[in-house]
């Protein structure tokens, strides 16, 4: 099986931003997924370098268009490795072979009578680089560029697009998933319900010289879309290259909704005119906004991929983009959202599962994969869930439903975390009669981690490699690098040496700008607004404290980073917590909590208690717990917060 996956080729009048990064990461994730499934994949991206917009941008910088496009194109090319995106080809429309291919196709279509000379008056939008119909305008403006298009009358060459309207309609009806998601197919069908006009495919050199000369008339250059779309053929060596024959039949284009019309109408009609088979699928995604607002240079909210990677790490960025956007719908980027996903999904759920399991394996099996051991009922549900996840994952990834695939993966992670709590390996470890069962529980956790290493590979290659190293597996071991081969339960080999790794994802504090002043660690509690209110709040009585007394208690959210038993005590745990600076707190909860369970948990502490020494350990605070009784026995339940907040947040 082969796959040919492409992104749009990006205009070099702007530098790469979040939107470009998203589409390109989608194509990279998909190509890695197909490779995981053993397919032969070709992945292409590149830059679109001709046309009005580019000539204007070069003029503004007072450099030649050729120098200008070299500079910006390099910025795109250099961005992708930072995101661990690895295209096979990076095409530029100024490449000599591309120019040759465009001219060859123009000549062919001209010779067969599908290009003619005529006069045209229309409304031209420079931003879109195309004529708009009256129907497309909103309040007289181009809906994408919020400015009126210019009325232009000129003599030009036209492609008989109208001739291919019916064949295109027939193709869409015969191939229901030609354009997905469905809403975009419907948009295209609605457009095609009106007669198609022919497409103006030239610009007179009196108006624009920065383009590919028409082979049959040197007074004109090629319209930028006719030039750009052909990149999908040039990159695989059309018409004679071996790669063309191999990959064209398997072409999948990924774009955003802004360029639906050129891809769903111009391009397939051009292919029909050339007598070529149409691409397999057009996958159309929505737009990323930033803080619910359209990204724009003038607003100053453009998000740059390199900055994101520097701040959050490459795998967090890749995971966030794939998990947060439902393919086809718009999504909004905020720093708070990415921090929340990192802390909750990555550090808490995945990171904790990995480090807890590895820590227990170190302690109980001396870091070796145990034998499968004695199984019990909860194992079946874990195994079943893992197998169900694998099947659903395969289907969702194949249909570009990345967020759904990841949702399924995280359900397994959360199930595995619960599996630890239910099976209490630390209790089993103490019982000599249950060692076989302990082995089984730990073996099942190793299997879960191995399957997670496999399925996370396309989205988070770096994390997957790190997990593989921890599990003592080579990165090309089919058990973590091949979908059908590795996607089975029970492939881990007893006796394999595991390796200690650092935590997968360190937690992050929320950005101060978004956490707000009251949440920023170390800042005083907000002042009450008036003296009157303060007085009212300070009303005291027997058993009642005043507000000012309450304010003297410094309650903080603390994150447990280490936990161990206090020597010679059945009751006490020594916790190292971040609040936000690290401190030691002794808590009388050893009968209710195992140390391993607490790592990464957020608890509430009294931070300004006089330090005391308890059983030889200095305790710098007190952990708060609810006191309750179960069947006449005292029980302590730790208090926490209902959402993740930065360690050290004040509780008031
Ligand atoms: O249109 N959200 O290039 P372009 C999501 N050269 N994706 C976004 C986005 C956003 N806010 N902004 C841009 C062109 N994109 C032509 C293409 S192809 C033969 C020629 C992504 O630089 C998305 O993939 O304007 C969109 O379709 C593409 O960038 C437009 O890139």
């Amino acid at each position: 099986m082969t796959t040919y996956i492409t992104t749009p080729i990006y205009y070099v009048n702007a530098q790469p931003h979040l939107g470009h990064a998203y589409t390109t990461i989608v194509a990279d994730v998909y190509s890695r997924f197909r490779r995981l499934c053993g397919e032969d994949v070709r992945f292409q991206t590149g830059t679109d370098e001709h046309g009005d917009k580019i000539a204007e941008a070069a003029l503004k910088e007072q450099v030649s268009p050729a120098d200008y496009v070299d500079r910006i194109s390099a910025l795109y090319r250099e961005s992708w490795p930072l995101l661990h995106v690895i295209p096979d080809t990076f095409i530029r429309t100024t490449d000599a072979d591309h120019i040759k291919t465009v001219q060859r196709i123009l000549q062919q279509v001209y010779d067969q009578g599908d290009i003619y000379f005529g006069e045209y008056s229309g409304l031209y939008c420079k931003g879109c680089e195309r004529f708009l119909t009256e129907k497309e305008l909103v309040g007289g403006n181009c809906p994408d560029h919020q400015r009126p298009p210019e009325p232009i009358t000129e003599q030009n060459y036209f492609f008989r697009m109208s001739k291919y309207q019916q064949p295109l309609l027939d193709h869409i009806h015969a191939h229901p998933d030609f354009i997905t998601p469905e809403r975009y197919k419907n948009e295209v069908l609605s457009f095609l319900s009106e007669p198609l006009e022919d497409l103006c495919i030239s610009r007179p050199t009196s108006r624009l010289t920065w383009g590919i000369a028409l082979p049959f008339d040197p007074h004109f250059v090629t319209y930028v879309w006719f030039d750009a779309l052909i990149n999908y053929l040039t990159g695989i060596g059309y018409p004679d290259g071996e790669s063309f024959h191999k990959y064209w039949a398997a072409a999948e284009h990924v774009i955003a909704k802004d360029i639906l019309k050129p891809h769903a109408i111009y391009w397939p009609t051009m292919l029909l005119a050339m007598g070529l088979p149409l691409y397999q699928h057009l996958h159309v995604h929505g737009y990323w906004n930033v803080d619910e607002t359209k990204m724009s240079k003038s607003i100053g909210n453009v998000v740059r991929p390199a900055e994101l990677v520097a701040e959050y790490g490459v795998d967090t960025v890749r995971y966030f983009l794939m998990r947060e956007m439902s393919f086809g719908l718009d999504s909004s980027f905020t720093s708070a959202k990415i921090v929340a996903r990192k802390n909750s999904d990555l550090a808490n759920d995945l990171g904790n599962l990995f480090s807890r399991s590895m820590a227990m394996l170190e302690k109980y099996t001396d870091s070796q994969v145990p034998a499968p051991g004695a199984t019990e009922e909860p194992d079946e549900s874990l195994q079943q869930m893992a197998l169900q996840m694998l099947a659903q994952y395969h289907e969702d990834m194949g249909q570009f439903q990345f967020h759904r695939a990841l949702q399924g993966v995280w359900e397994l992670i959360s199930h595995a975390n619960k599996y630890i709590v239910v099976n209490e390996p630390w209790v089993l470890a103490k019982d000599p009669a249950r060692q076989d069962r302990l082995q089984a529980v730990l073996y099942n956790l190793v299997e879960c981690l191995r399957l997670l290493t496999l399925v996370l590979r396309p989205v988070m290659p770096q994390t997957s490699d790190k997990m593989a190293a921890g599990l003592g597996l080579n990165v090309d071991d089919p058990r973590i690098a091949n979908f059908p081969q590795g996607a089975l339960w029970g492939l881990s080999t007893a006796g394999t040496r595991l390796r200690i790794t650092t935590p997968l994802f360190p937690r992050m504090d929320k950005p101060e700008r978004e956490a707000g002043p009251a949440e920023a660690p170390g800042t005083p509690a907000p002042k009450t607004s008036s003296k009157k209110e303060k007085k009212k709040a300070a009303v005291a009585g027997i058993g009642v404290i005043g507000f000012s007394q309450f304010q003297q208690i410094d309650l903080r959210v603390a994150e447990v980073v280490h936990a161990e038993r206090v020597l010679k005590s059945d009751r006490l745990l020594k916790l190292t917590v971040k609040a936000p600076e690290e401190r030691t707190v002794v808590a009388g909860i050893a009968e209710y909590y195992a140390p391993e369970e607490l790592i990464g948990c957020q608890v509430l502490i009294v931070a300004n208690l006089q330090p005391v020494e308890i059983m030889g350990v200095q305790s710098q605070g007190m952990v708060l717990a609810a006191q309750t009784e179960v069947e006449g026995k005292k029980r302590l339940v730790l208090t926490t917060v209902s959402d993740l907040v930065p360690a050290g947040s004040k509780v008031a």
Side-chain angles (χ1 to χ4, degrees), residues 133-441:
T133 60
E134 292 280 356
K135 244 178 126 181
E136 284 178 277
L137 306 185
V138 176
N141 285 339
C142 161
D144 285 341
H145 297 93
Q146 265 95 48
R147 56 175 190 232
E150 280 175 58
I152 289 185
T153 300
E154 53 185 31
Q155 287 202 312
N156 262 314
Y157 285 90
F158 291 83
F159 163 53
R160 287 189 204 285
M161 195 156 73
S162 53
K163 180 173 157 189
Y164 297 98
Q165 175 164 9
Q166 195 53 47
L168 174 57
L169 268 168
D170 295 344
H171 185 88
I172 296 176
H173 288 305
H175 300 84
D177 57 358
F178 182 57
I179 301 165
T180 59
E182 181 111 5
R183 57 207 304 247
Y184 295 111
K185 175 174 96 173
N186 294 339
E187 208 173 288
V188 172
L189 285 175
S190 136
F191 196 83
L192 288 173
S193 64
E194 306 273 331
L196 261 190
E197 283 179 19
D198 289 342
L199 181 67
C200 175
I201 53 123
S202 65
R203 299 290 178 262
T205 45
S206 56
R207 183 153 76 79
L208 175 76
T209 51
W210 185 241
I212 300 177
L214 291 189
F216 42 83
D217 190 337
H219 300 108
F220 291 85
V221 293
T222 312
Y223 168 46
V224 67
W225 271 109
F226 200 93
D227 155 359
L229 288 160
I230 289 171
N231 90 84
Y232 299 131
L233 294 178
T234 314
I236 47 171
Y238 172 81
D240 325 299
E242 201 184 298
S243 299
F244 170 70
H245 298 293
K246 188 162 165 194
Y247 294 112
W248 179 246
E252 314 257 346
H253 299 314
V254 187
I255 59 163
K257 60 185 185 180
D258 56 334
I259 50 176
L260 177 62
K261 195 171 163 187
H263 281 83
I265 297 176
Y266 303 175
W267 182 224
T269 52
M270 284 165 68
L271 288 166
L272 286 167
M274 285 178 237
L276 286 180
L278 304 192
Y279 53 79
Q280 285 296 309
H281 303 113
L282 181 63
H283 304 276
V284 189
H285 64 76
Y287 246 44
W288 278 98
N289 296 317
V290 172
D291 294 325
E292 312 293 341
T293 314
K294 195 174 169 172
M295 234 186 305
S296 109
K297 246 185 170 171
S298 54
I299 301 176
N301 64 349
V302 178
V303 177
R304 302 287 174 205
E307 287 167 18
L308 282 185
V309 169
E311 191 156 358
Y312 303 104
V314 59
D315 275 5
T316 302
V317 173
R318 290 174 66 105
Y319 170 75
F320 173 78
L321 294 176
M322 293 303 103
R323 175 64 186 83
E324 195 69 23
M325 178 174 262
S326 304
F327 195 90
L329 302 178
D330 289 352
S331 214
S332 187
F333 175 91
T334 68
S335 326
K337 277 192 196 172
I338 189 167
V339 171
R341 284 260 177 232
K342 179 165 189 176
N343 285 345
S344 132
D345 300 8
L346 299 181
N348 253 17
D349 299 343
L350 173 63
N352 253 350
L353 174 66
F354 188 72
S355 52
R356 279 165 111 179
S357 309
M358 297 302 276
M360 289 190 287
L361 283 153
E362 187 190 0
K363 195 163 166 187
Y364 304 132
T365 71
D366 194 21
S367 289
Q368 287 192 35
V369 175
T375 56
E376 282 179 12
E377 197 251 316
D379 304 343
E380 264 165 40
S381 85
L382 184 69
Q383 185 176 336
Q384 237 170 43
M385 190 145 188
L387 295 175
Q388 254 168 30
M389 177 280 282
L390 289 168
Q392 191 61 44
Y393 167 89
H394 190 263
E395 191 179 324
D396 289 339
M397 292 290 284
Q399 293 174 352
F400 279 65
Q401 295 299 312
F402 308 107
H403 73 291
R404 234 172 37 202
L406 290 171
Q407 234 169 356
V409 173
W410 255 257
E411 275 163 27
L412 177 67
I413 293 173
S414 126
H415 196 76
N417 271 320
K418 280 188 205 130
Y419 178 80
I420 296 178
V421 175
V422 168
N423 286 285
E424 298 182 307
W426 47 91
V427 174
L428 296 175
K430 284 190 210 144
D431 184 349
R434 304 223 62 203
Q435 293 310 295
D436 204 26
R437 175 66 191 147
L438 173 65
Q439 304 263 310
V441 169

Side-chain angles (χ1 to χ4, degrees), residues 46-115:
T47 44
D48 188 355
E49 305 185 5
H50 291 126
D52 276 334
K53 271 206 283 209
I54 313 298
E56 234 175 44
L59 194 67
K60 225 165 139 190
E61 290 205 4
Q62 297 188 320
V63 291
S64 72
D67 286 347
Y68 174 81
V69 298
D70 280 352
R71 186 169 68 80
I72 310 287
S73 176
L75 292 179
Y76 278 88
R77 188 196 283 267
E78 286 157 14
S79 285
W80 307 140
L82 295 179
L83 292 160
H84 292 179
V85 162
I86 310 174
D88 298 295
T89 21
F90 185 94
I91 188 168
R92 301 180 56 184
T93 53
T94 48
D95 289 342
D97 60 339
H98 176 72
I99 294 172
K100 220 169 109 190
T101 306
V102 170
Q103 288 181 327
R104 184 192 172 117
I105 290 170
L106 280 163
Q107 191 67 53
Q108 180 204 331
V109 181
Y110 180 73
D111 289 347
Q112 75 195 33
D114 278 342
I115 289 176

